[in-house]
Amino acid sequence: MRAPWTRRHRLLPGLLALACLATVAVAAAVPLTTPPARAADPVLVLDATFEDGTTQGFRSRAGETVAVSTAVAHGGTHSLLASGRTASWQGPALDLLDEMVKGTRYTLTVWVRLAAGQSPGQVRLSVQRDSGGTSAYDQVVGDTAVTADAWVRLSGTYVLAHDVDGLSAYVETASGTADLHIDDFTMAYQPTKPVQTDIPALREVLAADFPIGAAIGNRQVIGDQAVLLRRHFDTVTPGNALKWDATQPTEGAFRWADADTQVGFATDNGLAVRGHTLVWHQQTPAWVFTDTDGTPLTSEPADKALLLSRLEAHIRAVVGRYGDAIGVWDVANEVIDENQSDGLRRSRWYEISGVDYLRTAFRVAREVAPTAKLYVNDYNTNVPAKRDKLRDLVSRLRAEGVPIDGVGHQMHVNVQWPSIAETEAMLRAFIPLGVEQQVTEMDVSIYVDNGESFPTPPADRLLTQAYRYRDLFALYRRYADELTSVTLWGLADDDTWLDTFPVARKDAPLLFDTELQAKPAYWGIVDPTRINPTPTPTVSPTAGPTVSPTVTPTTGPDSCRAAYTVTNQWPGGFQASLKVTNTGVRARDGWTVRWRFPDGQLISQLWNGTVRQDGPDVAVTPTSWNSALPAGGTVEFGFLGSWSTSNSRPVGFTLDGLACATG
């Protein structure tokens, strides 16, 4: 029975911005043979203001108290207060089983504020799905900063893609148990535009070059999403359904429902499947690395044997279930750390078994699926140091007889980075090995740093993105003899992992917008002449990390300048780059750059250099290819790091002991 406060009506234009994430109309940027259909106004399904003095259907998730409050309000005089929380996952929840229709895209919006006296924290909006006694959790809006001083709006889209017997939306915190207020909750849906049938099918345009694929979940195999998928793509990659935590969350207890649904859809519709992924340092349940009594495994022979036996059993079960239905497997994912002398990530897999986990995984996969192509897949393979360590690993293992058939380049990039030349060097590096290559997870973010967030994607960013897709696909087509497929990490902008990583903000990295309509990026691949002339971009594409004598030296025999930029930041982590210019008149070889972190930051990975860190003190030395730093030359390197309380700028930049100016 529907709660008495529920209202269903079309939104007035003034409410549109609050109830739905804005989308981008591309008709002005891309001339079509017929104008795209105009979507109907959003339909408001639920609207909770708490002005009637009741909780309007909201309840607690455990023992916390959920009650109406007049202490603060976003609109009117009432809000809802969750107090007495004893766990971060507790918070106000609303049952949606009678309101949500499977396959419909809804926008959920709520205003949140911490109670008076609470310290700043992070909140998020999530959905719990219950089926057959098992619960699953989907994040609608990721961790978002919130204080007791102002209201913050959480708004995101959600599509129910599973059969469920329980469904609820709830607000929780990333950590801690602060009391919090919510107000003005809405749930609305946007009637969809029809999938365009008067534009070329992407798979047909690229048919002479390579198959084109998309990463999918259950929502992409129903309704209009399925229509779009069938029309434009040759292959699919289940984005999460084949990973270890999805298939074997507890030892010996396998769950196949999602994977069966997605692989079955592909088989029924003549789509090839890439299996992703058998071995990864993430999304692997904790039990895999512990003894039967919960003790962490070590590198002792018995523990190593136990781990490898679990790996073998898992691969035999997962790969064996799907047989010939899956012709390509990402056997190993993200195993490279270019800062290690051997190039291998110090994952729990490596700590316990060394390289034997890779040998075992590929051997067993070949035994179970003798005709499948077996891949090692990684990100940032366009970065020279990482590329070279991956190439060395593949060369060494193949020389041992390990059956690695191909290398996957993820290509999670943005409108500014990397350069085409850098990407071409990536492809060329693996040709001498005689392995196949695939682009496996491509998307092009409209953002270039973590400080940016747009309510709607700016037109110039979308056009810059279109030209980036144009240029990258032109490169891929030149190397069609080496690339056996290209896969985009998603189908359309309504469902992308970049909406919650590395921070919560709406991104638009794919070829089709949130209404499943073709963007300029689509035309960048299909017919670049139908993109508007290049605008002045918000950001100018760069050539990536290089050593280039382009700076006029300052007077004096020895001087330098350091430019430090945080390009991304998220709770507990960040990505940054440092550009150091030799502004003196004397060339340097074998340079050393040093600085000090003021807040205890730690570097976990660095490219285009070799890093050593002793407490707050960092020293970076060159790689073999960028050791020369001529007068007026510049060297640039990037890194990933962690932080806790704050992430202030480093201090004390020096080049070979010489203090550098900053800026």
Side-chain angles (χ1 to χ4, degrees):
M1 182 174 180
R2 189 169 298 120
W5 53 272
T6 299
R7 300 198 304 266
R8 293 178 179 270
H9 57 268
R10 295 197 180 275
L11 290 177
L12 298 175
L15 293 176
L16 181 59
L18 290 179
C20 254
L21 294 174
T23 56
V24 181
V26 300
V30 181
L32 302 174
T33 54
T34 58
R38 177 186 180 278
D41 291 334
V43 176
L44 188 64
V45 179
L46 299 176
D47 181 11
T49 65
F50 313 112
E51 294 303 304
D52 64 356
T54 74
T55 64
Q56 297 185 332
F58 278 86
R59 56 171 175 78
S60 66
R61 301 192 73 217
E64 75 275 26
T65 299
V66 173
V68 175
S69 169
T70 57
V72 291
H74 174 259
T77 58
H78 293 70
S79 65
L80 196 67
L81 174 65
S83 59
R85 300 170 64 240
T86 59
S88 62
W89 52 266
Q90 294 177 355
L94 179 65
D95 295 323
L96 300 177
L97 184 62
D98 293 336
E99 306 299 338
M100 274 196 175
V101 176
K102 183 179 176 182
T104 298
R105 179 166 59 94
Y106 294 90
T107 296
L108 305 180
T109 299
V110 64
W111 292 84
V112 184
R113 177 174 178 164
L114 297 183
Q118 303 291 328
S119 299
Q122 301 274 335
V123 294
R124 56 192 177 216
L125 177 61
S126 304
V127 166
Q128 176 178 332
R129 292 181 281 111
D130 304 314
S131 180
T134 300
S135 297
Y137 306 92
D138 302 319
Q139 196 170 103
V140 180
V141 180
D143 292 348
T144 304
V146 65
T147 70
D149 300 321
W151 290 92
V152 62
R153 177 176 175 263
L154 306 182
S155 185
T157 60
Y158 184 76
V159 175
L160 177 62
H162 303 75
D163 292 324
V164 296
D165 47 44
L167 185 70
S168 60
Y170 60 97
V171 175
E172 59 182 334
T173 51
S175 61
T177 57
D179 295 349
L180 57 88
H181 294 268
I182 70 168
D183 202 359
D184 294 336
F185 173 89
T186 61
M187 184 175 87
Y189 70 89
Q190 175 74 57
T192 58
K193 297 177 182 178
V195 172
Q196 294 159 292
T197 58
D198 59 347
I199 60 175
L202 192 61
R203 57 184 174 80
E204 294 176 357
V205 172
L206 297 171
D209 301 300
F210 39 70
I212 184 71
I216 63 168
N218 279 11
R219 65 182 292 184
Q220 280 74 41
V221 301
I222 55 178
D224 288 344
Q225 300 258 349
V227 174
L228 186 70
L229 181 63
R230 285 192 297 262
R231 176 168 175 78
H232 288 284
F233 295 93
D234 301 292
T235 75
V236 298
T237 299
N240 284 292
L242 288 167
K243 291 174 181 172
W244 200 312
D245 62 347
T247 53
Q248 194 184 183
T250 56
E251 188 165 13
F254 287 88
R255 298 191 308 199
W256 305 111
D258 288 350
D260 284 354
T261 295
Q262 294 165 36
V263 175
F265 173 88
T267 301
D268 293 343
N269 290 277
L271 303 174
V273 182
R274 296 190 79 261
H276 179 82
T277 178
L278 299 175
V279 181
W280 192 23
H281 63 281
Q282 296 187 36
Q283 291 186 244
T284 303
W287 68 262
V288 177
F289 305 115
T290 60
D291 204 341
T292 52
D293 62 0
T295 304
L297 299 181
T298 70
S299 59
E300 292 297 316
D303 284 357
K304 176 179 176 179
L306 175 60
L307 178 67
L308 296 181
S309 69
R310 287 172 171 172
L311 176 61
E312 178 166 352
H314 180 79
I315 292 175
R316 290 191 182 280
V318 176
V319 177
R321 181 175 183 85
Y322 296 105
D324 294 339
I326 298 181
V328 177
W329 281 97
D330 286 333
V331 175
N333 193 49
E334 299 178 2
V335 302
I336 296 297
D337 178 356
E338 63 270 35
N339 293 308
Q340 302 294 336
S341 60
D342 59 4
L344 286 166
R345 181 187 293 276
R346 269 33 180 185
S347 65
R348 293 291 288 140
W349 291 107
Y350 181 89
E351 290 171 349
I352 298 167
S353 70
V355 186
D356 282 346
Y357 81 94
L358 294 174
R359 299 184 178 107
T360 299
F362 279 95
R363 172 184 61 80
V364 175
R366 175 65 86 226
E367 291 175 4
V368 181
T371 62
K373 297 294 185 180
L374 307 182
Y375 273 69
V376 57
N377 186 53
D378 220 316
Y379 65 93
N380 282 1
T381 51
N382 53 281
V383 174
K386 189 159 195 175
R387 174 198 71 202
D388 294 346
K389 290 292 175 63
L390 177 59
R391 181 188 59 202
D392 293 346
L393 174 67
V394 172
S395 178
R396 174 160 60 98
L397 291 180
R398 280 172 58 88
E400 294 180 9
V402 177
I404 299 176
D405 299 313
V407 171
H409 308 287
Q410 291 186 10
M411 288 298 289
H412 295 295
V413 302
N414 65 42
V415 293
Q416 179 177 347
W417 177 87
S419 69
I420 301 302
E422 203 172 32
T423 308
E424 182 172 18
M426 172 191 79
L427 297 174
R428 292 181 62 85
F430 292 91
I431 294 175
L433 299 186
V435 294
E436 290 185 1
Q437 298 185 66
Q438 294 184 352
V439 172
T440 57
E441 303 183 21
M442 184 179 180
D443 44 29
V444 180
S445 173
I446 63 172
Y447 297 107
V448 298
D449 64 58
N450 187 54
E452 294 183 324
S453 181
F454 305 125
T456 59
D460 64 336
R461 287 288 174 99
L462 293 177
L463 293 181
T464 301
Q465 180 189 64
Y467 280 94
R468 177 51 58 104
Y469 267 109
R470 178 200 66 180
D471 294 344
L472 285 170
F473 268 79
L475 172 67
Y476 299 159
R477 294 169 93 167
R478 291 202 303 273
Y479 283 83
D481 290 342
E482 307 297 332
L483 284 170
T484 57
S485 78
V486 174
T487 294
L488 301 173
W489 204 242
L491 180 63
D493 289 344
D494 68 319
D495 186 15
T496 167
W497 73 299
L498 293 176
D499 283 353
T500 56
F501 180 88
V503 295
R505 60 187 175 186
K506 188 71 191 89
D507 210 328
L510 299 165
L511 305 182
F512 300 92
D513 66 18
T514 58
E515 294 183 292
L516 312 187
Q517 304 298 291
K519 293 166 53 184
Y522 160 88
W523 292 104
I525 299 171
V526 171
D527 183 1
T529 66
R530 298 180 71 174
I531 306 172
N532 274 3
T534 308
T536 301
T538 303
V539 290
S540 300
T542 64
T546 60
V547 177
S548 177
T550 59
V551 178
T552 302
T554 60
T555 59
D558 293 300
S559 58
C560 56
R561 179 172 296 277
Y564 177 81
T565 304
V566 174
T567 55
N568 278 299
Q569 181 171 304
W570 54 95
F574 69 105
Q575 179 177 339
S577 65
L578 179 64
K579 180 185 294 184
V580 178
T581 302
N582 177 10
T583 55
V585 297
R586 186 171 57 188
R588 297 177 179 275
D589 194 13
W591 47 266
T592 300
V593 172
R594 299 179 186 274
W595 70 85
R596 173 178 283 259
F597 279 124
D599 299 320
Q601 298 99 319
L602 293 174
I603 292 178
S604 59
Q605 182 177 344
L606 183 141
W607 48 95
N608 299 325
T610 300
V611 65
R612 299 189 308 277
Q613 184 168 0
D614 182 10
D617 298 315
V618 179
V620 177
T621 53
T623 65
S624 59
W625 55 270
N626 66 353
S627 62
L629 184 55
T634 296
V635 64
E636 184 174 0
F637 43 85
F639 58 88
L640 299 175
S642 61
W643 60 279
S644 55
T645 57
S646 60
N647 187 24
S648 303
R649 292 175 60 84
V651 296
F653 293 105
T654 65
L655 172 64
D656 293 340
L658 179 69
C660 296
T662 57

